[in-house]
Amino acid sequence: MLTRFWFKFDLVLDQRPPLGTLLGCGVTARSREAAIQLLKERVFQSDSLPPIKQCIEKVDPGTLDKGHIQPNMGDPDKPGIWFPLGYSN
């Protein structure tokens, strides 16, 4: 069973976080661990992540920012990274 996750990170601007990650990251995966692994591999390209400030499991994408996130996200029903764009397969 797939679950939609929304992650917010404790990012520092002068450390140049990956493009589009300041608002958070949306991932659909089988588990929290699998979602984190996708973020490590595709977005942060590292064996570690910045500190996670918040992780919302079973997030309703309709509750996310209507001005920027919703119009700029991929399909949250498919496995993978759906926000920010550009990090899926």
Side-chain angles (χ1 to χ4, degrees), residues 4 6 28 58-66 69-70 73-77 82:
R4 290 186 300 259
W6 183 255
T28 299
K58 298 179 184 176
V59 67
D60 176 358
T63 63
L64 300 173
D65 178 74
K66 291 172 181 27
I69 296 171
Q70 288 186 30
M73 67 183 196
D75 186 349
D77 293 325
W82 42 270

Side-chain angles (χ1 to χ4, degrees), residues 4-81:
R4 290 186 300 259
F5 295 90
W6 183 255
F7 292 92
K8 286 191 174 187
F9 299 96
D10 189 9
L11 297 171
V12 179
L13 287 176
D14 62 349
Q15 292 177 341
R16 304 178 120 203
L19 189 63
T21 58
L22 290 176
L23 294 174
C25 293
V27 184
T28 299
R30 294 190 181 275
S31 67
R32 184 178 193 263
E33 292 77 19
I36 287 172
Q37 188 61 37
L38 281 173
L39 289 169
K40 286 179 181 179
E41 291 173 3
R42 297 191 186 157
V43 179
F44 292 92
Q45 298 178 355
S46 171
D47 289 334
S48 63
L49 292 176
I52 297 172
K53 266 199 298 196
Q54 182 180 30
C55 175
I56 302 171
E57 190 171 330
K58 298 179 184 176
V59 67
D60 176 358
T63 63
L64 300 173
D65 178 74
K66 291 172 181 27
H68 184 72
I69 296 171
Q70 288 186 30
N72 294 296
M73 67 183 196
D75 186 349
D77 293 325
K78 292 184 179 178
I81 297 165

